[in-house]
Every structure is written in structure tokens, then in C-alpha cells.
Amino acid sequence: QKEVEQNSGPLSVPEGAIASLNCTYSDRGSQSFFWYRQYSGKSPELIMSIYSNGDKEDGRFTAQLNKASQYVSLLIRDSQPSDSATYLCAVNGGGGADGLTFGKGTHLIIQP
Amino acid sequence: GAVVSQHPSWVICKSGTSVKIECRSLDFQATTMFWYRQFPKQSLMLMATSNEGSKATYEQGVEKDKFLINHASLTLSTLTVTSAHPEDSSFYICSARRTGGGAYEQYFGPGTRLTVT
């Protein structure tokens, strides 16, 4: 049974600060890792994908992957109130053939 | 690019009736699409994997005779909830997998909120 664990929060961060979101996964064979943002009542929106160990940066977002520790993180720099949402960590197996296994999400609140 | 649409966005139906939900990839071809379900305050749960031209693969605990999936083209997958009951009320979301360059990113449709009365 594949599991993806996230702290449900809420995680409260002042505007302009760095928000740090964490995720661990149980299936050591997992190959692809994703962060999605979900606003209340809406479907998930892809923020970042990462496939190899290390850091991947895209604008204000940085994803970090450590396969040895089975750990994925997302950093959001210069946090904005519009970043307030639930962030979902998702994992799938090799080749992308499987559907995604999602964590329960971390509710992030950016305080103006 | 990578736009996925769903129709309808919301539907109310009576218990015992069937409802069809369409999922389309608008600007790319998707050999694989996925159907998820999300209950209030919970995360997304994978229901089934839909492959173009072949039978869908269902997750454990999902009744294939109740949730009929058809993936007739590279841009369209449909989910039919047959003999719907109030416990089937949920947020149904499809995703389409865009491949290429070693990436396996899934893009989600806007979802369909189903209420069974």
C-alpha cells in the first residue's frame, strides 16, 4: 500500500516569508513526484514536478527530492496571500504508468 | 498548453439514475487518462486508469460495473456512474497524462460535482 504523508496544518506564514512544505512517501520504487495546489472547491493545479535527487527551481517555487530519505519538499519564496491554498504532494511509480497517490495535503495560510 | 476540460461541472440526479461525465484534453493527445474522486475534507483517491483503445484498470474497491469508463479517442474519456446512490455524491476529477521528454505530468480537469438525491 503506497502512502504519502503530509502535515495537514494549517501552516501560517507571514507575507513575504518562505513557506516550507514537506512530504514523505512509503514506496521506495517511486520515480515521479509532484506538487499540486488546490483552492477550496477547485481541482488541483500542477505547481512542480521532480524526478531526480536535488533541487528544482521554477520562479518562486523550489522542489527538493531526497530518494534515500523518501522525502520531498516544496519551498515558496516571497509568499503572497494568493498562495494560500492546500498543497498536495503526489507520487507515482516508474514510467508514469500508475495514477497518482496523493497525500492529504497541507493547508497553507499566508498572513498579510 | 495542457488544458483539460470536464463536462458537466456539476450535476444533480435522482437515486437509481445514471450520469455520464466527459473528460477532454484540449491541446494535447492523452493515451492515458485517470479518474479520481474526492470527498469533502479528504484528498484525491484514484478510481481507475483509462487507456485509449483498451479496458480501464480499476483500483481495489472500485466497482467496474458501476463506474463505466470509455476512452474512445486520444482526447476523450468518459465516466458513467450507473445506478447512482447518495453515497456516490462526490467531486469527480479526471486527469490527462502528457508525456514527452521523460516527463509524466498529469493535468487535471476542473472537476464535476455530483449530487445524488
Side-chain angles (χ1 to χ4, degrees):
Chain A
Q1 182 80 5
K2 298 178 184 178
E3 292 184 351
V4 178
E5 299 288 341
Q6 293 181 256
N7 188 321
S8 62
L11 173 65
S12 187
V13 173
E15 183 176 358
I18 296 175
S20 178
L21 305 165
N22 304 314
C23 168
T24 58
Y25 59 95
S26 64
D27 184 359
R28 190 169 286 277
S30 299
Q31 296 292 320
S32 307
F33 308 87
F34 308 89
W35 283 99
Y36 286 86
R37 177 174 64 196
Q38 186 175 28
Y39 294 111
S40 181
K42 303 294 184 181
S43 68
E45 173 191 8
L46 180 64
I47 299 295
M48 291 284 288
S49 61
I50 187 166
Y51 304 95
S52 56
N53 282 329
D55 296 358
K56 179 182 178 183
E57 185 175 320
D58 184 359
R60 296 188 296 115
F61 300 96
T62 298
Q64 299 173 317
L65 173 62
N66 184 326
K67 289 186 178 180
S69 301
Q70 296 174 241
Y71 176 88
V72 193
S73 67
L74 179 70
L75 300 177
I76 306 175
R77 290 181 297 281
D78 188 23
S79 298
Q80 302 298 308
S82 58
D83 294 327
S84 297
T86 296
Y87 288 79
L88 303 171
C89 175
V91 174
N92 73 357
D98 300 328
L100 297 172
T101 300
F102 282 87
K104 292 185 177 181
T106 298
H107 184 203
L108 176 65
I109 299 172
I110 305 301
Q111 296 177 322
Chain B
V3 179
V4 179
S5 70
Q6 263 184 262
H7 178 80
S9 55
W10 60 270
V11 58
I12 301 172
C13 71
K14 291 187 176 181
S15 186
T17 62
S18 296
V19 174
K20 179 186 280 189
I21 303 170
E22 291 187 351
C23 177
R24 294 181 185 272
S25 56
L26 298 185
D27 54 358
F28 66 101
Q29 293 183 331
T31 55
T32 305
M33 292 183 173
F34 302 89
W35 288 95
Y36 296 83
R37 181 167 54 181
Q38 186 176 33
F39 292 106
K41 306 290 185 183
Q42 296 186 26
S43 192
L44 281 78
M45 294 296 293
L46 177 67
M47 297 178 66
T49 301
S50 170
N51 294 297
E52 187 266 337
S54 64
K55 291 183 179 181
T57 303
Y58 291 82
E59 294 300 298
Q60 191 173 6
V62 177
E63 301 175 58
K64 62 180 181 180
D65 294 331
K66 180 173 182 63
F67 298 100
L68 302 180
I69 291 172
N70 183 273
H71 193 157
S73 77
L74 289 173
T75 59
L76 173 64
S77 176
T78 60
L79 168 68
T80 301
V81 183
T82 63
S83 187
H85 291 286
E87 57 265 32
D88 297 323
S89 298
S90 188
F91 191 37
Y92 291 85
I93 316 173
C94 72
S95 72
R97 183 165 64 98
R98 187 174 71 172
T99 58
Y104 300 94
E105 298 169 346
Q106 290 184 29
Y107 295 87
F108 284 84
T112 297
R113 197 162 299 280
L114 170 64
T115 302
V116 184
T117 61

